[in-house]
Amino acid sequence: MDALAELDRRIAGCRACPRLVAWREEVARTKRAAFADQTYWGRPVPGFGPPDARLLIIGLAPAAHGGNRTGRMFTGDRSGDVLYQALYDVGLASQPTAIAPDDGLELYGARVTAPVHCAPPANKPTPGERDACRPWLVRELGLLRPTLRSVVVLGGFGWQAALPALTAAGWAVPRPRPAFGHGVRVPLDGLTVFGCFHVSQRNTFTGRLTPEMLRRVLRSAAQEAGL
């Protein structure tokens, strides 16, 4: 627990990527009109969930007015609304909403993180920014390894980041690396990796990802993890 808390603290202080530092801080200064009275987090957003998680969900990056505002992964934006509702529906969250870090939300056996911890312009980190952030994910995977049994990766960008990180953390990932797809399932040594379309508004508003599709993946991953 102490090691993971220290990792989260170090992540929150990272200033490695100048473009992301400038953007997240500019957003925190200018704010969105609806949140004009709020103090934005404006820093890298660490993972959220228990230190003995058996299931890890890997997204893309914090939203400018979501995680970058609240300081907690997938909290305060519509993508988070979809994700936490589904986690609640399958018994992995204490409540269906994520509004602020002090809203009482708890995750049961699951943790949420991202391969890029800063909000990027247009929600698009560069490959270089993804690679610069990878050591944080590798370290997080290493700390969770004693209990971790399944991973759900949201979207192709996360997939491209997660598989090399899993390799660096000590898992033998097949070569060539498996392609991303919704419902893809990759068994590793003591760990199963699941692919899932990202909970972006583009996917959820168009029906490319429905709540039941998301719940189905989460249920499978939870079952694989013994949750």
Side-chain angles (χ1 to χ4, degrees):
M1 182 181 299
D2 290 345
L4 194 58
E6 173 61 17
L7 176 68
D8 290 344
R9 187 192 66 78
R10 291 176 58 204
I11 286 171
C14 184
R15 300 183 64 84
C17 300
R19 186 182 81 113
L20 297 187
V21 171
W23 172 253
R24 78 192 192 210
E25 294 181 353
E26 174 65 19
V27 169
R29 281 193 299 270
T30 58
K31 307 180 182 181
R32 178 174 282 172
F35 309 122
D37 61 339
Q38 297 185 21
T39 300
Y40 274 51
W41 172 258
R43 290 185 276 162
V45 181
F48 168 60
D52 59 349
R54 299 179 66 85
L55 166 60
L56 181 66
I57 299 165
I58 300 176
L60 194 163
H65 302 283
N68 188 58
R69 170 173 60 89
T70 63
R72 193 174 71 189
M73 283 287 172
F74 283 106
T75 298
D77 60 59
R78 290 184 176 177
S79 294
D81 293 344
V82 173
L83 178 62
Y84 287 116
Q85 177 70 63
L87 287 169
Y88 175 77
D89 290 343
V90 301
L92 296 174
S94 63
Q95 61 191 44
T97 56
I99 300 169
D102 60 356
D103 60 8
L105 174 64
E106 294 181 54
L107 296 183
Y108 303 136
R111 184 173 169 87
V112 183
T113 193
V116 174
H117 287 274
C118 291
N123 292 320
K124 292 182 179 179
T126 67
E129 289 161 351
R130 174 198 65 201
D131 294 346
C133 213
R134 182 174 297 149
W136 297 125
L137 181 57
V138 173
R139 179 61 175 154
E140 188 170 13
L141 287 164
L143 291 173
L144 293 171
R145 182 160 189 159
T147 56
L148 193 62
R149 296 296 176 265
S150 62
V151 173
V152 173
V153 183
L154 302 175
F157 184 95
W159 190 263
Q160 293 173 357
L163 295 186
L166 285 162
T167 299
W171 279 278
V173 176
R175 299 299 301 268
R177 290 176 184 146
F180 172 75
H182 183 82
V184 166
R185 177 181 179 135
V186 180
L188 305 181
D189 181 23
L191 183 74
T192 305
V193 182
F194 296 81
C196 180
F197 290 146
H198 196 278
V199 289
S200 66
Q201 292 183 52
R202 181 177 61 185
N203 287 339
T204 58
F205 283 9
T206 61
R208 186 172 189 239
L209 178 67
T210 66
E212 180 52 33
M213 289 169 65
L214 177 57
R215 287 193 295 264
R216 194 176 300 125
V217 173
L218 291 174
R219 284 193 195 103
S220 296
Q223 183 177 15
E224 193 71 28
L227 294 171

